[in-house]
Amino acid sequence: MLIADRITHAYDTTAGQLPVLEALSLFAAPGEFLALVGPSGSGKSTLLRILAGLITPTQGQVVWRREPVAAVAGAGPVMPDSDGRPRLGMMFQSPSLMPWRSALDNVLLPLEVGPEAQNLDRAAAIARATELLQRLGLTGFERTLPRDLSGGMQSRVALARALMSEPEILLLDEPFAGLDALTREQIGLDLARVLADRATTVIMVTHSIPEALLLADRVLVLGPRPARLRRELRVPGARPRGLSWMEAPGFTALAAEVRAALQRG
């Protein structure tokens, strides 16, 4: 589904070039969930934006289905496929909801402004958006404005919006970082259940080792800037996993491996 081939990137600053990524390669298979873990400032968010086609790397290339991203990138983080359907969705750290639109209308937004807008079946879209909100724990809040929603609820709306277009690839840039531990854990479980009946390929940046091991098929550990791939760990068992997995000996052992890779000098 996706290949990043020897991605190197540096930012131009007043003090000269700032190297961020160095010869970093990865792949994601169709329907796979990857979690990227690394120190703060190691370039994880930059890598995600390169994968989305929002940033052109200094060296290397990103390929989707044997086609370079640079050749197919559209405006913003949604890249239309040859048949006009969105192939990528992205959720950033901030929910960035439109304050004058209800939860439901925020979720509908990608279909109203994207390539499907002209052929939009509004009744079907409303039904789909409502189902997504309900599956993410927002039954009864469909017509509520963002100002009347908690931070966790706003994140759920943003997640539903990212899933609304049924993207082939979903990029998540620390989407739940600002939430308390219990809310973050519950949204992670809700996301896992929603993805269970979809073939969506997911790449998520997170600082939470438990979150990575709960949600992902593979965890990729990045080193400090300029980041290279330090370790790759495959998480056993099929998704979605329950909280009981976090109490298993295998979970503890994997968490220790991730920490050791992060702390390696």
Side-chain angles (χ1 to χ4, degrees), residues 19-51:
V20 179
L21 302 169
E22 183 178 354
L24 196 154
S25 298
L26 60 82
F27 74 92
E32 189 175 27
F33 195 128
L34 296 187
L36 303 179
V37 179
S40 294
S42 62
K44 300 182 299 297
S45 293
T46 295
L47 176 59
L48 219 61
R49 284 160 173 75
I50 289 173
L51 296 179

Side-chain angles (χ1 to χ4, degrees), residues 8 20 33 47 136 154 156 164 198 213 217 230 264:
T8 295
V20 179
F33 195 128
L47 176 59
L136 289 171
Q154 290 183 29
R156 286 182 167 94
M164 184 62 187
R198 285 170 164 78
L213 295 177
D217 297 305
R230 274 192 169 179
R264 194 175 76 216

Side-chain angles (χ1 to χ4, degrees), residues 103-168:
L104 180 66
D105 287 336
N106 266 287
V107 175
L108 289 169
L109 187 61
L111 299 190
E112 294 175 352
V113 300
E116 294 183 338
Q118 292 186 353
N119 300 316
L120 178 64
D121 182 338
R122 188 164 180 83
I126 289 175
R128 194 161 86 217
T130 300
E131 180 189 10
L132 266 175
L133 288 170
Q134 291 175 348
R135 294 187 67 182
L136 289 171
L138 288 176
T139 300
F141 292 92
E142 295 87 353
R143 298 295 178 181
T144 304
L145 292 175
R147 70 187 181 204
D148 298 319
L149 297 173
S150 68
M153 289 176 171
Q154 290 183 29
S155 293
R156 286 182 167 94
V157 174
L159 181 57
R161 181 179 60 191
L163 290 166
M164 184 62 187
S165 298
E166 299 181 355
E168 291 180 280

Side-chain angles (χ1 to χ4, degrees), residues 10 15 27 32 41 59 72 77 95 126-127 160 162-163 171 179 188 190 208 213 221 233 244 246 257:
F27 74 92
E32 189 175 27
Q59 295 179 32
V72 299
I126 289 175
L163 290 166
L171 303 180
L179 304 177
D190 292 340
S208 170
L213 295 177
V221 183
L233 298 99
S244 59
M246 299 174 71
E257 289 190 54

Side-chain angles (χ1 to χ4, degrees), residues 87-106:
R87 54 191 300 183
L88 182 143
M90 191 163 188
M91 182 177 170
F92 298 96
Q93 294 179 27
S94 170
S96 300
L97 303 178
M98 291 189 171
W100 61 89
R101 295 178 69 111
S102 68
L104 180 66
D105 287 336
N106 266 287

